[in-house]
Amino acid sequence: MNPPPEFWLNPVFLHGFVASLQFMFLLFILISWLLKRFRLDPTLVPKQSFGYLLYKQTLFSCVVLSLFNLVLCFLNHFYWYTTGWTDEKIVTLLHAVLGTLVWFLVVVYLHTLVSNSSTQSCKYPLVLRVWWVFFFSVSCYSLLVDYFYYKKNHISPSMMFFVSDSVSSFMGLFLCFVGLFNKSEGEAQNHNLEEPLLNSSGSRVRGEIASTYENASFFSLLTFSWMSSVIAKGNKKPLDLEDVPQLADIDSVRGAFPVLRDKVKSFSNENNEITTFGLTKALFYIVWKEVVITGFLGLASSLCSFVGPYLIDAFVQYLNGHRDFKNQGLVLVAAFSVSKIVGCFTQRHWYFKLQQAGIRARSAIVAMIYQKGLTISGQSKQGNSSGEIINFMAVDAERVGDYAWYMHDFWLVFVQVGVALALLYRNLGLAAVASLVATILVLLANLPLGNLQEKLQDGLMKSKDKRMKATSEILRNMRILKLQGWEMKFLSKIIKLRDEEEGALKKYMYTLSMTSFLFWGAPIVVAVVTFATCLFAGIPLESGKVLSALATFKILQEPIYNLPDSISVFFQTKVSLDRIATFLRLNDIDSNAIDKVPRGSSDTAIEIINGNFSWDVTSPNPTLKDINIKVNRGTRVAVCGTVGSGKSSLLSCILGEVSKISGSVKVAGTKAYVAQSPWIQSGKIEDNILFGREMDRERYDKVLEACSLKKDLEILSFGDQTVIGERGINLSGGQKQRIQIARALYQDADIYLFDDPFSAVDAHTGSHLFKECMLQFLVSKTVIYITHQVEFLPAADLILVLRDGRITQAGKYNDILNSGSDFMELVGAHKEALSTIDSIETNVQEKAASSKENTNDSQNGKTDDISSTKAQIVQEEEREKGRVGFSVYWKYITTAFGGALAPFIILAQIVFQILQIGSTYWMAWASPVSASDPAPVTGSTLIIVYVALAVGCAFCILARGLLLATVAYKAATILFHKMHLSIFRSPMSFFDSTPSGRILNRASTDQSAVDMQIPYQVGSFVFAIIQLLGIVVVMSQAAWQVIILFVPVGGMCIWLQQYYLPSAREMARLAGVCKGPVIQNFSETISGSTTIRSFDQQGRFQDTNLKLNDDFSRPKFHGAAAMEWLGIRLDMLSSVTFAAFLIFLISIPEGTIDPSIAGLAATYGLTLNTLNGWVVWTLTNLENKIISVERIFQYSSIPSEPPLVIESNRPDDQWPSQGEVDIRHLQVRYAPHMPLVLRGLTCTFNGGKKTGIVGRTGSGKSTLIQTLFRLVEPAAGQIMIDGINISTIGLHDLRSKLSIIPQDPTMFEGTIRSNMDPLEEYTDDKIWEALDKCQLGDEVRKKEEKLDSTVTENGENWSVGQRQLVCLGRVLLKKTKVLVLDEATASVDTATDGMIQQTLAQHFSDSTVIMIAHRITSVLDSDMVLVLEQGLIDEYDSPTKLLEDKSSSFAKLVAEYSMRSNSSFET
């Protein structure tokens, strides 16, 4: 017989019915599972990956339901065990037990489905789907029955029923969705097709994934579901850049930059100059839509935040029994919930759109700065070092992008204060005026702190700029610092600059503590003033009104605190825009400096008439004066002259690089240029040679042949695919120069300009290059070449001799030989150098002829110093993958004071939280619920207790802030010192294989994060957790049952956060890794801008920059979207929890709970979603930022060089007294997995003698020198100096006793004094004496500042030859027993070379001089000559003896040099 219909409305009957159905389903699942188990052998089934929709989430939901029912079981059992049993209680317990078992079995069933299924089905089994739908329907029905049962009988159903049905309905909704909506077959197939591509390295073409944002539907945009695919992928595997979708056209720099560029032009002032206002207007134009949309969203979000405080009084009165209309409680709950949900959506989209605008603005500005870097003139560049220009891009552009966060704060704060005052006036009447006054006072108290913070921030940035500039220069020249033993001195310079920075940092951090104190103290001060005013004015304080006022003060806290910050950021951004605008206003290369004549319009290729040129337009002395030359097509022109005579400047004026004061320059056809200092891009050798042109294999091979590169490429493991390190670091000087020449030859230009390209290669290679390139490959081209080698002059059709910026002689070799003294000087010095071999010249001619035939064959295998490895030298930057280990957090927390202050910081926060809740609790409890109720305490007691609690809160905040600042400062200082010591003490191989951009990124971006952000992120996370726990406690105090709701919601929040975190973490890391290439590319472009312009390649380089820029923006953009994807989901969960809590409060019978306490709980509940989001946001942000600590730790543990000083084995002060260098069985390789470069050398360089080392490019000459200075440690054998094994003493003891003039002359930014004597060991008189000896004294005396004359970055304002003379001056000051010259005279003319040799002979007559030289004449007067061949000693004897043996390698080299010097290239 059917039960009567009212049975269906009885919760007890209904739960009993559901329990019996659960039991039947349990039996069915068990039987079907057992049958399947016996029918199928799981070992025969292949395990495959399946496309079940939201499988992990489904499994998680079933686990939650099982655990939830288990919790109900225990609660029922323990609660009713003491109170006795009824039918209702037995049914409830049975329902919970069966629920636990059923959902546990469903979990097991789902798990076996995935591990044992052999089909590719995307649908869950029918039985599960039917059960889920049924479960959801019954749960919803049960919830309705609970409600109607209560309405009808006015008897509350069991609280267990209500909570159980609520959770079951919520979970059932999700399972019902999973059961009814499954993936389409096409999607599943795509999923399976996609997997192999994702896992195979390099299968996906870079940038293949289209923008998911651009094509998203409205619903997808609203909920950020367009990010789901990326987050899902990040959850399966660490994301790579290829997995991050492209940017939408509107966000891509390719779309934004042209618009910005055109608008900047149109907004320029009447002088066509870019103004800060014009730049700002142009920036606004590219983001105006986002600015307008975010304005509306910000307004909506702010207004929604006031709905809660507005309604809280009505809610308290409702709970107290004052009903204004029927169902008022439900209307209030609905109003609370809708305002929360609308507020969540508007806030999330507001934040996202702000970041979108910021990213777009930043990338467009970076592109503008880059374009300017390509066109800036040489004079303008001298006023801005490359480090400063990079800062415009890395710091200022970033700051402009970050300003997007603050752009609406100024007007929104007035809206918020206005609404808050209206709300306060409604609740507290005229006391609102006191609130306004208190608010203004707090705001004014913030202003001086804000100004102080701004000044400190400005000082901090300036000192950081200085430090980064110095660091950048030091990293570029680390090799020379190591050779000279100066690295620790230069480290102390960096530490000194950091000390300056730390002074500002310390002040800034303590100021920040005070600001934080004001931030948390502001609502307390305003509240105290307002309530005290109410007390004196006799305005009644009711708990509802008090809670409404407190909630309002809480909302006001943010804008009050942020306004000074916004003002500060506004001025910082203005400064950055001013700096960028000033840079964009700098003079460009004068496009009218040269007149480009159409190709083939006349026979003249280059014509300069009455040309006067100057690098500095303001200087009264032009660099080049009265230049008149006419070069016909196909002519070969040689340019020669002494050091500093203006040779390079002449080429620069043909390129249009020098400012033209008067005259005209006409150039017909395309140009190719080879700079004196090789400019090589990071990347493959092939890309350096092709330089943007298509591959023409035949021409390419001819170019390699002409430049003698074939042999080099054969020896490199990857051939022309070898990746070159930064600035060509893994190539020898000769190889870099030859790649430069190959790049020029491949371009097939009309005019070729060579700036002394033969100085960096040995004699043999130089003659081969001249013959193959100049005389054969470019026979029909117009060529202008600067050279110091007199032997290359006779082949020229025209020779120009320069002195002091004028052409003093011009004509063919024989014509000008006797017509003036300048040319005679150069040729005379050269002939004098050759005189030592004149006597045997004729005998050697035949041998030279035979060796000439074998030019190509004798390009002996270059056992290249570093490149011969099976792994590329420059690896992609390592990035940690996966979760940041707890050890990183622990190491960071214990860095300062061993972590001793951390517990005190946490204690201060806990006490603050207790006191804050206590003060609010006191106000709610001690105020009457309505005007008619008696007050529990007197008004004065109310205020005094509140003030006491408030003061306690304030002191806790101050203590917390000061302790945190102390820990932060200490940790930042320790990490900085550790990392820099580790970097400076690392071996040279580290710098060879690590682009300086990577190191600079750690020293700037990562160090800034450790200085300013990470300590506060760690603090914020801990404080937010404590606050969240405080809210849970308060809400549970009002209704403990809410804990049951917190458990599943908390579980889902944690699960969502864990699901999202891998993607967020990897995108943050990708953004960090992608920033390096942008900076490096920019740095390379600035240093090679002349070469880029000469080849007309600006467009291609701009294109590369745009691509790198987008690669950096992509992870940033999608990382921001992922954050909001998570935020919106967490907000929804919090809103549902809050709504359920409110429903519970209005459902319980009146009088069950104190309305004041319920109102208090609701007030705290208002901030639940904000705080829930804040916890996850701070944790995610912390995970993203802690990567900076991880990266600093990485560079703090680089394997270091051997000790600088070994106290137990220090040589005496007189060592070495003889200077005898004894090499025994020396074997050297650059890394354990690489071949030997020196393969067993044994020889002795006698003390006080001069030894010349010669050999083909790559024979091991430089490696021997590096081993002598222990930049490379021997693999076997040893080097003894005066009987002491150099491997047994400290590096500084060794290097300080040796001197070197390196191949690349290096000068540091500073003065002549600081360059001559970096360690500050000598008097001015000694320095002048050294300058006079190296022929620079007169040059320096001409300058106003004398020894304090400025040296710009890299010594750019001194010629290469003059820089080499400074290096000579350094060794004359140091005057050691062992001197090494590493191709030291390559950059000077023969006359200067002769002078250097004479100076050395005079002042180092009793020293051991070891000289590597490309000019054979430099080693002819040596006591001994060592000839190296493929890392072995070929010959070692005196030059005379070696020359007597006509078959010796040395005799062949001399013969060849002699032969080419006797006009063998004359045509």
Side-chain angles (χ1 to χ4, degrees):
M1 190 180 111
N2 289 331
E6 57 266 21
F7 268 46
W8 291 104
L9 292 174
N10 187 317
V12 179
F13 169 79
L14 198 60
H15 282 81
F17 176 68
V18 172
S20 58
L21 284 174
Q22 283 181 329
F23 182 67
M24 287 167 63
F25 180 68
L26 187 68
L27 285 174
F28 179 80
I29 288 270
L30 270 171
I31 293 163
S32 62
W33 182 64
L34 287 169
L35 283 172
K36 199 170 184 182
R37 189 84 179 153
F38 284 117
R39 220 176 31 229
L40 186 72
D41 179 3
T43 56
L44 300 175
V45 179
K47 293 191 181 183
Q48 299 176 30
S49 105
F50 298 94
Y52 287 122
L53 178 66
L54 299 172
Y55 168 74
K56 285 184 180 176
Q57 293 90 320
T58 308
L59 196 67
F60 176 75
S61 301
C62 296
V63 170
V64 167
L65 280 167
S66 181
L67 290 173
F68 175 68
N69 278 288
L70 187 63
V71 169
L72 285 184
C73 287
F74 284 117
L75 284 173
N76 284 334
H77 181 70
F78 290 120
Y79 179 60
W80 286 327
Y81 181 74
T82 54
T83 57
W85 297 90
T86 62
D87 291 347
E88 178 193 328
K89 294 170 183 177
I90 291 167
V91 166
T92 308
L93 186 63
L94 184 67
H95 180 262
V97 170
L98 286 169
T100 305
L101 291 172
V102 163
W103 289 110
F104 176 71
L105 219 69
V106 170
V107 169
V108 174
Y109 187 46
L110 279 171
H111 182 68
T112 53
L113 271 177
V114 166
S115 54
N116 291 337
S117 181
S118 58
T119 66
Q120 290 291 327
S121 167
C122 299
K123 291 185 180 181
Y124 289 99
L126 181 64
V127 64
L128 278 183
R129 288 186 284 132
V130 169
W131 170 249
W132 288 339
V133 172
F134 174 76
F135 173 73
F136 174 60
S137 309
V138 169
S139 300
C140 289
Y141 179 67
S142 299
L143 197 59
L144 286 170
V145 166
D146 293 340
Y147 178 73
F148 284 116
Y149 186 77
Y150 164 67
K151 278 282 185 190
K152 186 176 178 184
N153 302 313
H154 297 287
I155 301 167
S156 175
S158 166
M159 181 51 60
M160 292 292 177
F161 286 167
F162 184 76
V163 172
S164 169
D165 294 337
S166 299
V167 173
S168 298
S169 301
F170 182 68
M171 289 296 187
L173 176 64
F174 172 72
L175 293 172
C176 198
F177 166 78
V178 169
L180 294 177
F181 296 91
N182 48 280
K183 289 186 190 174
S184 66
E185 244 172 81
E187 250 180 25
Q189 283 172 357
N190 287 345
H191 172 81
N192 293 328
L193 281 170
E194 210 174 53
E195 277 305 320
L197 276 178
L198 293 173
N199 296 333
S200 60
S201 59
S203 303
R204 192 189 289 290
V205 178
R206 184 176 279 259
E208 191 184 321
I209 303 175
S211 168
T212 49
Y213 171 72
E214 199 167 26
N215 307 314
S217 64
F218 173 75
F219 179 77
S220 182
L221 287 172
L222 185 68
T223 59
F224 291 94
S225 300
W226 54 274
M227 273 302 299
S228 297
S229 58
V230 182
I231 292 169
K233 195 177 285 181
N235 208 38
K236 288 178 193 161
K237 69 184 246 324
L239 287 175
D240 291 313
L241 192 59
E242 293 79 13
D243 301 318
V244 181
Q246 292 296 307
L247 295 170
D249 287 344
I250 192 169
D251 293 311
S252 169
V253 68
R254 292 178 192 281
F257 167 59
V259 179
L260 180 68
R261 184 186 55 206
D262 296 342
K263 288 293 162 191
V264 164
K265 276 182 192 167
S266 66
F267 293 142
S268 297
N269 64 13
E270 57 275 6
N271 301 327
N272 217 20
E273 282 185 333
I274 295 168
T275 61
T276 307
F277 183 61
L279 180 61
T280 310
K281 274 204 299 185
L283 274 171
F284 176 77
Y285 193 87
I286 64 169
V287 293
W288 73 268
K289 281 183 187 168
E290 281 70 24
V291 173
V292 172
I293 292 168
T294 50
F296 282 116
L297 289 171
L299 181 63
S301 178
S302 298
L303 293 176
C304 284
S305 67
F306 283 103
V307 173
Y310 179 78
L311 295 174
I312 204 80
D313 185 29
F315 189 70
V316 171
Q317 296 306 324
Y318 174 84
L319 293 178
N320 200 33
H322 297 284
R323 312 284 203 263
D324 294 334
F325 54 89
K326 197 180 176 188
N327 294 327
Q328 186 190 359
L330 288 173
V331 170
L332 283 170
V333 171
F336 271 119
S337 303
V338 169
S339 69
K340 274 274 169 227
I341 290 166
V342 172
C344 292
F345 276 102
T346 51
Q347 189 184 47
R348 292 295 148 207
H349 284 278
W350 176 27
Y351 288 172
F352 172 67
K353 284 281 178 191
L354 288 175
Q355 290 178 85
Q356 184 183 17
I359 289 167
R360 192 186 306 162
R362 185 207 66 83
S363 56
I365 281 191
V366 167
M368 279 287 286
I369 294 167
Y370 184 87
Q371 188 189 42
K372 185 70 183 179
L374 278 172
T375 59
I376 191 172
S377 69
Q379 186 186 353
S380 300
K381 201 193 282 187
Q382 278 193 0
N384 294 275
S385 70
S386 60
E388 285 170 326
I389 297 173
I390 286 167
N391 255 359
F392 293 136
M393 188 194 75
V395 177
D396 293 303
E398 200 79 44
R399 203 180 273 164
V400 171
D402 289 343
Y403 181 69
W405 275 110
Y406 301 89
M407 64 183 166
H408 294 300
D409 285 6
F410 291 107
W411 63 270
L412 269 180
V413 74
F414 292 109
V415 172
Q416 288 167 317
V417 169
V419 173
L421 289 171
L423 194 52
L424 287 169
Y425 183 76
R426 175 180 169 270
N427 286 321
L428 304 174
L430 286 173
V433 177
S435 300
L436 176 64
V437 172
T439 304
I440 292 168
L441 287 173
V442 170
L443 207 55
L444 291 173
N446 251 341
L447 287 176
L449 273 179
N451 292 335
L452 179 60
Q453 233 174 308
E454 191 183 338
K455 281 179 191 164
L456 291 171
Q457 173 90 9
D458 201 36
L460 199 57
M461 286 308 298
K462 280 178 182 163
S463 48
K464 184 186 171 183
D465 281 354
K466 274 160 71 179
R467 173 173 66 81
M468 287 313 300
K469 195 172 170 185
T471 307
S472 174
E473 184 176 51
I474 286 168
L475 291 176
R476 266 199 311 275
N477 300 305
M478 188 53 85
R479 184 176 296 275
I480 187 73
L481 296 182
K482 293 267 184 198
L483 287 168
Q484 302 279 15
W486 292 342
E487 71 269 41
M488 298 319 283
K489 173 69 180 176
F490 278 76
L491 172 60
S492 68
K493 274 189 182 178
I494 297 292
I495 298 293
K496 198 174 172 188
L497 289 169
R498 172 67 182 179
D499 287 343
E500 251 181 69
E501 191 182 342
E502 278 172 3
L505 181 66
K506 198 172 189 177
K507 287 177 191 164
Y508 179 79
M509 281 178 159
Y510 286 121
T511 312
L512 211 58
S513 303
M514 294 306 295
T515 315
S516 171
F517 171 59
L518 274 180
F519 169 60
W520 289 99
I524 297 171
V525 171
V526 175
V528 167
V529 170
T530 308
F531 295 147
T533 307
C534 288
L535 185 68
F536 291 125
I539 298 166
L541 285 175
E542 297 163 20
S543 57
K545 289 181 168 58
V546 166
L547 290 171
S548 176
L550 287 172
T552 307
F553 299 146
K554 190 87 177 144
I555 293 170
L556 269 183
Q557 179 182 16
E558 199 91 15
I560 289 172
Y561 174 69
N562 281 346
L563 192 62
D565 203 21
S566 303
I567 294 166
S568 164
V569 171
F570 171 79
F571 285 113
Q572 283 176 27
T573 308
K574 185 182 177 300
V575 168
S576 286
L577 282 166
D578 285 340
R579 277 160 54 95
I580 293 168
T582 306
F583 174 67
L584 295 177
R585 274 199 299 274
L586 290 175
N587 292 330
D588 285 343
I589 293 287
D590 184 4
S591 53
N592 301 317
I594 55 173
D595 302 321
K596 293 183 179 174
V597 181
R599 188 176 178 172
S601 58
S602 74
D603 283 341
T604 306
I606 300 164
E607 186 174 19
I608 303 177
I609 302 166
N610 301 326
N612 287 287
F613 304 90
S614 182
W615 287 106
D616 181 1
V617 184
T618 57
S619 169
N621 284 331
T623 311
L624 294 173
K625 301 175 271 286
D626 306 325
I627 304 295
N628 285 283
I629 54 170
K630 183 175 181 179
V631 179
N632 290 330
R633 273 193 295 161
T635 307
R636 249 194 317 274
V637 180
V639 181
C640 58
T642 54
V643 171
S645 58
K647 303 183 292 298
S648 298
S649 298
L650 181 63
L651 292 194
S652 295
C653 75
I654 296 168
L655 290 168
E657 296 287 321
V658 193
S659 301
K660 182 176 69 177
I661 296 168
S662 61
S664 69
V665 183
K666 291 179 184 171
V667 177
T670 55
K671 306 177 293 294
Y673 168 65
V674 177
Q676 185 173 13
S677 302
W679 178 75
I680 301 289
Q681 266 186 290
S682 305
K684 294 176 189 165
I685 291 175
E686 181 190 279
D687 295 340
N688 266 282
I689 295 172
L690 296 182
F691 209 55
R693 288 178 75 95
E694 290 296 316
M695 168 62 85
D696 174 348
R697 182 55 66 182
E698 190 183 343
R699 181 175 182 82
Y700 184 75
D701 288 338
K702 281 182 185 171
V703 167
L704 293 183
E705 195 68 55
C707 296
S708 308
L709 281 168
K710 279 266 168 106
K711 286 275 182 181
D712 298 88
L713 296 181
E714 280 168 22
I715 288 158
L716 297 175
S717 304
F718 294 89
D720 60 3
Q721 299 304 302
T722 299
V723 174
I724 301 171
E726 194 177 17
R727 302 187 311 280
I729 205 136
N730 49 332
L731 300 172
S732 69
Q735 285 172 321
K736 284 190 270 191
Q737 197 61 279
R738 283 182 284 136
I739 287 171
Q740 265 214 130
I741 296 168
R743 174 171 64 206
L745 297 190
Y746 190 80
Q747 293 301 303
D748 194 22
D750 302 312
I751 299 166
Y752 284 82
L753 305 170
F754 292 90
D755 193 348
D756 196 16
F758 310 115
S759 60
V761 295
D762 58 60
H764 170 83
T765 311
S767 60
H768 172 81
L769 284 174
F770 190 81
K771 179 185 157 198
E772 292 291 325
C773 300
M774 299 290 192
L775 304 185
Q776 292 178 15
F777 204 95
L778 301 177
V779 67
S780 60
K781 305 287 186 182
T782 307
V783 181
I784 300 183
Y785 62 97
I786 293 172
T787 185
H788 289 129
Q789 280 100 321
V790 174
E791 59 271 22
F792 294 144
L793 296 176
D797 302 316
L798 172 66
I799 298 172
L800 303 174
V801 183
L802 273 86
R803 181 183 279 276
D804 297 329
R806 295 178 192 275
I807 298 175
T808 54
Q809 290 173 272
K812 285 186 78 71
Y813 185 84
N814 291 327
D815 298 342
I816 63 169
L817 195 54
N818 302 312
S819 65
S821 60
D822 293 336
F823 191 59
M824 274 303 292
E825 263 180 49
L826 295 168
V827 177
H830 176 65
K831 290 201 166 164
E832 195 180 308
L834 282 173
S835 61
T836 50
I837 50 168
D838 276 351
S839 56
I840 56 159
E841 210 167 75
T842 47
N843 299 331
V844 189
Q845 287 281 342
E846 295 152 28
K847 293 283 178 193
S850 67
S851 74
K852 194 175 159 192
E853 288 165 20
N854 298 322
T855 296
N856 291 338
D857 298 332
S858 60
Q859 284 293 304
N860 284 311
K862 159 113 177 80
T863 30
D864 181 69
D865 291 1
I866 296 163
S867 311
S868 308
T869 169
K870 288 292 170 196
Q872 297 281 21
I873 181 162
V874 180
Q875 301 294 331
E876 268 194 49
E877 180 165 6
E878 76 275 25
R879 91 181 146 97
E880 300 282 343
K881 294 195 175 182
R883 198 185 185 97
V884 178
F886 178 71
S887 60
V888 175
Y889 292 94
W890 184 249
K891 269 173 82 177
Y892 175 68
I893 291 165
T894 55
T895 297
F897 310 108
L901 291 183
F904 292 103
I905 296 170
I906 294 169
L907 181 65
Q909 175 63 23
I910 291 170
V911 174
F912 162 72
Q913 195 63 42
I914 291 167
L915 291 174
Q916 192 195 39
I917 291 170
S919 64
T920 316
Y921 190 95
W922 167 255
M923 289 302 290
W925 176 83
S927 304
V929 176
S930 64
S932 56
D933 295 340
V937 296
T938 62
S940 56
T941 309
L942 179 79
I943 295 299
I944 289 166
V945 172
Y946 183 70
V947 168
L949 291 168
V951 169
C953 280
F955 276 115
C956 286
I957 287 299
L958 187 59
R960 184 191 78 180
L962 293 173
L963 286 171
L964 189 61
T966 306
V967 169
Y969 167 75
K970 187 72 176 172
T973 306
I974 290 170
L975 288 178
F976 179 88
H977 285 255
K978 269 189 183 172
M979 178 175 74
H980 278 72
L981 181 63
S982 175
I983 289 170
F984 276 69
R985 288 287 292 113
S986 58
M988 203 57 226
S989 57
F990 168 74
F991 298 97
D992 290 345
S993 59
T994 310
S996 63
R998 281 185 205 170
I999 304 173
L1000 288 172
N1001 217 350
R1002 280 169 174 76
S1004 61
T1005 312
D1006 293 324
Q1007 187 62 46
S1008 283
V1010 170
D1011 287 348
M1012 317 279 277
Q1013 293 168 318
I1014 290 167
Y1016 298 104
Q1017 294 288 354
V1018 175
S1020 289
F1021 174 63
V1022 175
F1023 305 155
I1025 287 282
I1026 293 168
Q1027 278 182 282
L1028 188 62
L1029 290 172
I1031 288 182
V1032 172
V1033 168
V1034 171
M1035 289 176 78
S1036 305
Q1037 171 76 15
W1040 65 266
Q1041 294 85 350
V1042 84
I1043 293 175
I1044 297 167
L1045 200 56
F1046 276 129
V1047 171
V1049 169
M1052 285 195 78
C1053 286
I1054 291 166
W1055 178 85
L1056 268 170
Q1057 190 252 355
Q1058 292 303 316
Y1059 180 72
Y1060 146 87
L1061 208 54
S1063 306
R1065 193 189 299 124
E1066 294 311 319
M1067 280 192 275
R1069 283 175 173 156
L1070 281 171
V1073 169
C1074 290
K1075 192 172 186 178
V1078 178
I1079 293 173
Q1080 192 183 330
N1081 172 258
F1082 194 34
S1083 171
E1084 279 185 351
T1085 303
I1086 290 166
S1087 59
S1089 54
T1090 305
T1091 303
I1092 294 166
R1093 285 192 291 265
S1094 67
F1095 286 93
D1096 291 323
Q1097 292 275 349
Q1098 297 98 308
R1100 182 171 69 88
F1101 275 79
Q1102 179 75 39
D1103 208 47
T1104 304
N1105 172 258
L1106 296 181
K1107 184 189 175 309
L1108 290 171
N1109 217 334
D1110 270 352
D1111 284 351
F1112 173 56
S1113 297
R1114 271 160 57 201
K1116 282 200 79 161
F1117 176 86
H1118 289 92
M1123 177 68 84
E1124 304 314 329
W1125 176 93
L1126 175 69
I1128 219 154
R1129 281 150 182 77
L1130 292 178
D1131 287 351
M1132 289 302 104
L1133 284 171
S1134 300
S1135 300
V1136 167
T1137 308
F1138 185 55
F1141 174 66
L1142 294 179
I1143 289 169
F1144 176 78
L1145 288 180
I1146 62 167
S1147 302
I1148 55 176
E1150 193 180 316
T1152 312
I1153 190 169
D1154 182 346
S1156 299
I1157 302 306
L1160 171 74
T1163 307
Y1164 271 94
L1166 285 172
T1167 57
L1168 183 65
N1169 66 324
T1170 312
L1171 208 53
N1172 195 6
W1174 181 244
V1175 167
V1176 176
W1177 191 82
T1178 48
L1179 176 59
T1180 309
N1181 231 15
L1182 176 58
E1183 280 241 346
N1184 292 349
K1185 294 291 181 194
I1186 203 79
I1187 292 161
S1188 291
V1189 174
E1190 186 181 47
R1191 283 154 60 88
I1192 286 177
F1193 280 146
Q1194 232 177 37
Y1195 273 28
S1196 299
S1197 53
I1198 306 162
S1200 82
E1201 284 186 306
L1204 298 176
V1205 173
I1206 299 172
E1207 289 295 346
S1208 60
N1209 197 17
R1210 296 201 70 171
D1212 58 48
D1213 292 341
Q1214 275 68 48
W1215 179 87
S1217 53
Q1218 304 300 315
E1220 181 175 279
V1221 180
D1222 188 10
I1223 299 170
R1224 299 178 186 173
H1225 313 294
L1226 185 65
Q1227 295 183 3
V1228 177
R1229 53 161 59 95
Y1230 278 92
H1233 59 277
M1234 292 168 74
L1236 288 170
V1237 180
L1238 297 180
R1239 300 186 288 162
L1241 266 60
T1242 300
C1243 62
T1244 301
F1245 302 152
N1246 293 320
K1249 302 292 183 189
K1250 182 178 177 184
T1251 304
I1253 304 177
V1254 293
R1256 310 277 184 218
T1257 300
S1259 56
K1261 305 185 295 292
S1262 291
T1263 304
L1264 178 56
I1265 300 307
Q1266 288 192 64
T1267 314
L1268 181 64
F1269 281 83
R1270 287 180 64 195
L1271 288 188
V1272 186
E1273 294 291 329
Q1278 57 188 31
I1279 299 178
M1280 314 280 284
I1281 299 181
D1282 281 4
I1284 291 181
N1285 183 348
I1286 62 167
S1287 297
T1288 62
I1289 61 172
L1291 291 180
H1292 269 196
D1293 283 340
L1294 170 69
R1295 291 169 185 168
S1296 63
K1297 302 291 186 179
L1298 308 177
S1299 294
I1300 184 166
I1301 303 181
Q1303 185 173 358
D1304 297 321
T1306 305
M1307 285 176 81
F1308 300 92
E1309 189 165 0
T1311 62
I1312 288 291
R1313 181 188 282 104
S1314 68
N1315 268 280
M1316 287 290 287
D1317 179 25
L1319 303 185
E1320 298 166 7
E1321 294 175 334
Y1322 303 98
T1323 62
D1324 283 7
D1325 292 340
K1326 292 267 185 194
I1327 295 171
W1328 278 118
E1329 193 183 317
L1331 285 170
D1332 287 331
K1333 285 176 187 170
C1334 66
Q1335 311 289 307
L1336 270 177
D1338 294 340
E1339 184 69 35
V1340 175
R1341 282 189 186 91
K1342 276 185 208 167
K1343 298 189 179 284
E1344 276 180 42
E1345 293 95 349
K1346 305 291 190 286
L1347 287 180
D1348 294 317
S1349 300
T1350 310
V1351 176
T1352 58
E1353 191 177 19
N1354 295 332
E1356 296 285 351
N1357 58 338
W1358 296 77
S1359 76
V1360 179
Q1362 286 168 328
R1363 283 181 244 165
Q1364 195 64 282
L1365 294 175
V1366 169
C1367 293
L1368 172 64
R1370 284 180 193 148
V1371 302
L1372 289 168
L1373 263 182
K1374 196 174 177 185
K1375 195 153 184 344
T1376 56
K1377 260 317 220 186
V1378 178
L1379 170 65
V1380 176
L1381 307 178
D1382 187 359
E1383 297 164 6
T1385 56
S1387 307
V1388 295
D1389 57 84
T1390 318
T1392 311
D1393 182 15
M1395 181 275 293
I1396 290 175
Q1397 299 302 338
Q1398 278 175 8
T1399 308
L1400 292 175
Q1402 186 182 339
H1403 297 284
F1404 287 89
S1405 53
D1406 58 343
S1407 297
T1408 306
V1409 179
I1410 302 167
M1411 171 185 263
I1412 295 177
H1414 286 155
R1415 287 186 181 141
I1416 296 296
T1417 50
S1418 303
V1419 295
L1420 283 174
D1421 63 342
S1422 304
D1423 299 297
M1424 299 290 281
V1425 170
L1426 174 67
V1427 183
L1428 290 177
E1429 190 69 37
Q1430 291 192 342
L1432 291 166
I1433 294 177
D1434 192 18
E1435 294 161 1
Y1436 182 48
D1437 213 330
S1438 67
T1440 323
K1441 283 190 181 170
L1442 289 175
L1443 288 172
E1444 283 170 6
D1445 179 3
K1446 310 299 184 292
S1447 63
S1448 73
S1449 301
F1450 184 65
K1452 288 179 187 175
L1453 283 168
V1454 172
E1456 191 178 304
Y1457 185 82
S1458 166
M1459 175 194 69
R1460 76 173 193 184
S1461 300
N1462 284 311
S1463 308
S1464 57
F1465 294 113
E1466 196 166 356
T1467 51

